[in-house]
Amino acid sequence: EAGVAQSPRYKIIEKRQSVAFWCNPISGHATLYWYQQILGQGPKLLIQFQNNGVVDDSQLPKDRFSAERLKGVDSTLKIQPAKLEDSAVYLCASSLFGLAGGSTDTQYFGPGTRLTVL
Amino acid sequence: AQSVTQPDIHITVSEGASLELRCNYSYGATPYLFWYVQSPGQGLQLLLKYFSGDTLVQGIKGFEAEFKRSQSSFNLRKPSVHWSDAAEYFCAVGAADSWGKLQFGAGTQVVVTP
């Protein structure tokens, strides 16, 4: 079974530029998550999708971050414009059951995209 | 809201020795608890999880964890460490009233020496 795919793996940009990350979840997984992992910290949830609807985006900085999950499969996370403090690893995860599984649903993580903002 | 504390930022252990990583959580009701491992350049891999029932949970790669409600802890253990266990380990807590939303600790970096 293929895992969660993410691209690119690495990205270096100047501050105030825009950047986009792509995630392809495990086939059939209803729920998709984007996390931000700053160096030395644990992952922090940015946004959670159930199929193509947003379940929780309370920690997403909406003035510069946006995310979408068209057709309930792939997802993109965009930052526009980027700031120095956005330097982090952006992790995508997916889980199978979504609402039916509740908090017991296991999340499977992709390898992440390491973003460096100069 | 739930929170997780991993008191040890960094642990060094000799190959073949035992390993214990500490995790303390804060949550009013019964939490859902997870341990993940992250190797360099890799995503997080689930080691084990606790939802209910037996408080001693077995996971992959020879790891186990014990849920102690009285101490609000969920410590991870391995009897004999292999060099391939060098990685960063994250404890996470979820809750029934915040479906799917995991709160992660800051992680413990494990270094294995020959």
Side-chain angles (χ1 to χ4, degrees):
Chain A
E1 176 183 86
V4 176
Q6 291 188 246
S7 68
R9 293 295 309 275
Y10 305 91
K11 190 73 176 179
I12 300 174
I13 62 172
E14 303 275 338
K15 60 182 179 183
R16 292 188 290 274
Q17 286 187 323
S18 301
V19 65
F21 313 127
W22 174 83
C23 173
N24 183 255
I26 294 173
S27 178
H29 278 199
T31 308
L32 185 147
Y33 312 78
W34 282 103
Y35 288 85
Q36 179 191 58
Q37 185 179 16
I38 293 173
L39 186 65
Q41 300 180 19
K44 181 185 81 171
L45 180 68
L46 292 176
I47 188 167
Q48 177 183 348
F49 291 95
Q50 171 77 12
N51 297 313
N52 61 349
V54 175
V55 174
D56 184 346
D57 64 356
S58 58
Q59 298 193 89
L60 187 74
K62 299 181 185 63
D63 58 333
R64 298 184 298 106
F65 286 65
S66 64
E68 60 181 8
R69 190 184 184 198
L70 299 176
K71 301 181 181 178
V73 182
D74 294 6
S75 177
T76 55
L77 176 69
K78 297 179 182 178
I79 307 175
Q80 180 179 12
K83 293 185 175 182
L84 296 177
E85 58 261 36
D86 298 331
S87 294
V89 175
Y90 290 86
L91 296 165
C92 179
S94 68
S95 64
L96 177 61
F97 296 113
L99 281 167
S103 290
T104 65
D105 201 12
T106 297
Q107 296 183 30
Y108 296 88
F109 285 80
T113 296
R114 181 176 296 277
L115 173 67
T116 301
V117 182
L118 303 176
Chain B
Q2 63 267 31
S3 66
V4 179
T5 301
Q6 293 181 248
D8 304 305
I9 296 173
H10 187 274
I11 284 181
T12 299
V13 60
S14 299
E15 191 169 14
S18 63
L19 174 68
E20 181 167 10
L21 303 182
R22 296 184 290 164
C23 173
N24 295 100
Y25 67 89
S26 173
Y27 181 59
T30 299
Y32 304 133
L33 295 159
F34 306 80
W35 274 100
Y36 281 86
V37 61
Q38 186 176 35
S39 298
Q42 303 295 315
L44 280 75
Q45 181 184 21
L46 181 68
L47 287 175
L48 47 79
K49 56 189 177 184
Y50 171 79
F51 298 144
S52 63
D54 192 346
T55 57
L56 186 61
V57 181
Q58 301 298 320
I60 62 171
K61 303 185 179 186
F63 284 92
E64 66 177 25
E66 186 171 12
F67 171 61
K68 292 185 177 180
R69 184 189 301 276
S70 61
Q71 299 177 19
S72 298
S73 69
F74 188 58
N75 294 349
L76 182 71
R77 298 192 293 256
K78 185 169 184 177
S80 178
V81 170
H82 187 262
W83 64 266
S84 60
D85 294 322
E88 189 150 24
Y89 293 78
F90 292 93
C91 182
V93 61
D97 62 355
S98 56
W99 168 75
K101 186 171 182 176
L102 294 183
Q103 183 74 40
F104 283 85
T108 298
Q109 183 71 46
V110 173
V111 173
V112 181
T113 60

